[in-house]
Amino acid sequence: MSVHVSPIRWVDRLGKQESPAVPEETYRNRPEAYLRMQTIGFIGLGAMGAPMAWNLEEAGYDLLVYNRSAGPTEPFAEAGIEVADSPRAVGQRADVVVTMVTDDEALAAVLDGETGLLAGLDSETTVIQMSTVTPEATEAAAQTVRAQNARFVDAPVSGTVGPAEEGTLTVLAGGDDDVIDDVEGVLAAMGEPIVRCGDAGDGARMKLFVNLLLGDMMGAYAEALTFGAAQGLDLDAMQQVVEAGAVDSPLFEIKGDLIADRDFRPRFPVDLQFKDLRYANEVGNEIGVQLPQTAAARESFSAASAMGHGDEDMTAVIKYLESVAGVTVER
């Protein structure tokens, strides 16, 4: 894993503690401030969240974690990292809180209630919402966080488990520039580049944009491979044609090898891709944009999930298409 930046941030002279002396070049042209070590609270230790949290720990941050089910916290506890008993406790302890949960409902569950994150926030806290949720849920979260006088950054990520482990996720940041500036080091420990997308909510919109494209591409690619296999075309020859022409894409190269090897271990599961396509279609309906290809891709992923492949990699959408065609795409 890569260490991108020093785990420090600016605070004003009324901050809680002063850090050791820091070289002048690290001051980001803000001489009125000084640096201190941060405690980062991380909520949501799933397939993506866990490696992101480990990258923060490796970068030297004081880490505090929470997950709604206890199992994923065990490796962190074994490594001597503190496990909080509630989102509220994370908010009370951490300078910056990262949320990385499954969907709108999961985000609401960790924010609300007597033991929710909102109950533990104050003006010293910044919340970075990195889950893939709807723009509506993001904007509602921003409003409620700011109502607690805390700061908010909308920063979902583009990438799968491999980039999450390597710290090379693309960060889609939305919010006030000065707030993003202050947490840029935290974001950089988990990904690069950090793309500034606009206001809070625009990060979520950008994430649906790119995952709409991802799902459409994966659905079309699986469909094309099944179409070719049903006519007796050789998989390696089909792949060579794809990679030699204008439709060449790292997605097709990587996923083609996985399909050929019948390796459907989850990098980005079918159920999560279906969720994102569902969100995109809902937003499209709200704003009056027709998404016919995305609607078709959503149905293919829904069918693959209904067949029991929801926890497998998104490439498993091909299993639904294979079952209909009565073929198997393999070497």
Side-chain angles (χ1 to χ4, degrees):
M1 298 180 186
S2 302
V3 178
H4 301 273
V5 294
S6 298
I8 49 182
R9 77 157 181 169
W10 294 100
V11 293
D12 61 31
R13 295 185 184 276
L14 298 178
K16 298 174 184 176
Q17 63 184 57
E18 186 168 348
S19 68
V22 179
E24 181 68 26
E25 63 266 22
T26 68
Y27 272 68
R28 293 189 183 178
N29 299 317
R30 292 176 62 180
E32 78 282 0
Y34 61 86
L35 296 165
R36 67 183 173 90
M37 300 298 292
Q38 288 179 294
T39 296
I40 310 297
F42 204 103
I43 297 176
L45 302 172
M48 294 287 290
M52 292 165 67
W54 283 119
N55 280 335
L56 289 167
E57 192 275 337
E58 183 172 318
Y61 290 100
D62 179 18
L63 190 63
L64 171 69
V65 299
Y66 172 81
N67 197 72
R68 289 190 294 167
S69 57
T73 67
E74 292 175 2
F76 292 88
E78 291 170 0
I81 295 168
E82 184 177 356
V83 177
D85 61 6
S86 69
R88 177 181 179 177
V90 175
Q92 290 172 330
R93 280 281 320 280
D95 302 299
V96 175
V97 179
V98 176
T99 57
M100 186 64 179
V101 295
T102 306
D103 52 25
D104 287 12
E105 292 75 20
L107 179 60
V110 300
L111 287 175
D112 297 336
E114 292 184 1
T115 61
L117 176 61
L118 293 172
L121 300 180
D122 60 28
S123 61
E124 297 291 317
T125 316
T126 302
V127 174
I128 307 177
Q129 204 306 104
M130 305 191 79
S131 321
T132 300
V133 297
T134 61
E136 180 182 12
T138 301
E139 290 170 347
Q143 182 177 0
T144 56
V145 166
R146 289 166 177 164
Q148 304 301 312
N149 295 318
R151 306 192 303 170
F152 185 89
V153 174
D154 165 29
V157 293
S158 179
T160 58
V161 172
E165 293 173 343
E166 296 162 3
T168 58
L169 294 163
T170 300
V171 180
L172 313 174
D176 295 339
D177 281 338
D178 60 340
V179 181
I180 297 174
D181 287 344
D182 283 348
V183 298
E184 192 167 15
V186 178
L187 298 175
M190 296 178 282
E192 57 183 1
I194 299 167
V195 181
R196 302 208 181 195
C197 301
D199 297 329
D202 289 336
R205 292 182 180 92
M206 190 68 78
K207 180 59 188 290
L208 292 186
F209 153 77
V210 72
N211 275 23
L212 176 159
L213 183 59
L214 175 66
D216 285 0
M217 289 175 66
M218 187 67 243
Y221 178 55
E223 194 172 276
L225 291 178
T226 306
F227 174 75
Q231 298 177 85
L233 296 181
D234 177 73
L235 175 57
D236 288 335
M238 288 191 285
Q239 192 69 13
Q240 183 179 0
V241 170
V242 168
E243 294 178 13
V247 297
D248 185 28
S249 164
L251 175 72
F252 298 154
E253 180 178 352
I254 294 167
K255 296 304 188 183
D257 286 341
L258 294 175
I259 290 171
D261 294 337
R262 308 303 289 178
D263 179 357
F264 298 105
R265 289 174 293 174
R267 285 85 177 172
F268 181 44
V270 163
D271 278 349
L272 292 185
Q273 180 62 83
F274 167 67
K275 182 243 333 178
D276 294 349
L277 293 174
R278 176 169 60 85
Y279 283 168
N281 276 280
E282 290 172 356
V283 172
N285 289 335
E286 291 169 5
I287 64 176
V289 175
Q290 295 298 307
L291 303 174
Q293 295 186 70
T294 304
R298 176 196 61 195
E299 294 309 306
S300 293
F301 281 95
S302 177
S305 179
M307 291 177 63
H309 305 305
D311 291 334
E312 297 178 43
D313 189 68
M314 63 185 297
T315 49
V317 69
I318 202 169
K319 292 185 177 182
Y320 156 65
L321 299 167
E322 290 172 334
S323 71
V324 174
V327 299
T328 300
V329 178
E330 61 184 347
R331 287 196 175 98

